[in-house]
């Protein structure tokens, strides 16, 4: 083998190595760019500061949202006194909120509404059947029925927060109940103001 053939092979080998290193660097840069939005919990999306048009505290909502790349809100027909919206992460259900303004008489019961009752399933039962007044935190749900004050006295505002049926977060039930309660309390407070209930 002459020296010119050896130089050609060495040049080709160096070119291939340089191309490999360049490709590897490009791949690592792409991975780091994708991970730039990671909040340390595997969420590569921005946590919203509004839900159903109601201001929410990001730090209260974030613990209830799973890891993923893309978050989307779907608003399913909010009307005055009522709201329905859901968050999906990577096209999987993550969290939904239902809110309804109700007459304040003793018989006003949000669980009589089909979509509330169907969502709660067996959890809507209990000692007093489907009826419930006040606040409650269940495994995947947080509920609140609050009497309106101010201009809307004579009304109640009911809120149901629902987590995904499969793999709700946080995984630990005690942590999940705490996070659901904290989010619900903040959401209800802001929703009551929006409804003119303060």
């Amino acid at each position: 083998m002459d020296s010119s053939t050896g130089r050609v092979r060495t040049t080709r080998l160096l070119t291939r190595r340089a191309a490999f290193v360049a490709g590897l660097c490009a791949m690592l840069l792409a991975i780091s760019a994708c991970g730039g939005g990671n909040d340390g919990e595997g969420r590569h999306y921005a946590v919203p500061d509004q839900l159903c048009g109601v201001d929410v505290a990001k730090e209260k909502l974030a613990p209830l949202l799973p890891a993923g790349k893309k978050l989307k809100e779907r608003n399913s027909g909010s009307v005055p006194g009522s709201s329905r919206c859901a968050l999906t992460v990577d096209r999987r259900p993550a969290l939904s909120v239902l809110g309804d303004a109700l007459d304040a008489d003793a018989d006003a019961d949000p669980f009589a509404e089909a979509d509330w009752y169907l969502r709660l399933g067996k959890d809507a039962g209990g000692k007093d059947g489907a009826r419930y007044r006040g606040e409650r935190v269940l495994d995947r749900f947080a509920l609140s029925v609050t009497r309106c004050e101010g201009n809307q006295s004579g009304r109640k505002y009911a809120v149901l927060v629902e987590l995904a049926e499969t793999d709700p977060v946080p995984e630990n039930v005690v942590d999940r109940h705490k996070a659901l309660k904290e989010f619900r309390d903040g959401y209800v407070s802001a929703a009551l103001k929006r409804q003119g209930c303060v």
Side-chain angles (χ1 to χ4, degrees):
M1 175 173 76
D2 65 20
S3 61
S4 64
T5 305
R7 271 186 258 141
V8 169
R9 286 184 178 168
T10 302
T11 303
R12 285 182 184 161
L13 182 61
L14 290 174
T15 303
R16 286 183 187 152
R17 283 187 183 166
F20 173 77
V21 170
L24 183 61
C25 287
M27 184 177 73
L28 291 173
L29 283 171
I31 290 170
S32 67
C34 290
N38 189 349
D39 65 356
E41 299 294 329
R43 288 183 286 266
H44 296 268
Y45 53 83
V47 175
D49 57 6
Q50 277 202 340
L51 187 56
C52 288
V54 173
D55 292 335
V56 296
K58 290 182 180 185
E59 66 274 11
K60 303 292 185 191
L61 177 57
L64 299 172
L65 297 177
K69 294 181 180 177
K70 187 174 181 181
L71 178 139
K72 186 173 182 180
E73 178 177 343
R74 190 185 79 241
N75 194 317
S76 54
S78 293
V79 296
S82 178
S83 58
R84 304 277 187 277
C85 63
L87 295 178
T88 58
V89 173
D90 298 339
R91 298 183 179 183
R92 294 189 315 264
L95 179 145
S96 65
V97 175
L98 293 97
D100 282 317
L102 308 165
D103 291 331
D105 66 45
D107 292 329
D109 179 10
F111 301 123
E113 296 293 325
D115 59 347
W116 284 66
Y117 190 78
L118 288 173
R119 283 173 182 271
L120 287 164
K122 63 180 175 30
D123 286 328
K127 294 178 183 176
D128 56 352
R131 297 207 174 274
Y132 176 74
R133 294 168 184 82
E135 298 177 341
R136 194 168 175 188
V137 176
L138 305 167
D139 187 40
R140 294 188 304 109
F141 303 97
L143 324 166
S144 174
V145 181
T146 308
R147 186 174 294 277
C148 289
E149 304 296 338
N151 295 338
Q152 296 294 321
S153 59
R155 305 279 283 161
K156 290 179 183 175
Y157 192 67
V159 170
L160 171 63
V161 179
E162 178 185 4
L163 295 179
E165 189 169 349
T166 57
D167 303 322
V169 292
E171 187 176 337
N172 179 282
V173 175
V174 173
D175 292 341
R176 187 161 66 240
H177 283 203
K178 181 181 177 200
L180 270 167
K181 182 183 184 310
E182 289 180 356
F183 173 75
R184 179 205 61 198
D185 291 350
Y187 184 90
V188 167
S189 177
L192 288 172
K193 288 178 185 173
R194 188 168 184 261
Q195 292 292 328
C197 289
V198 292

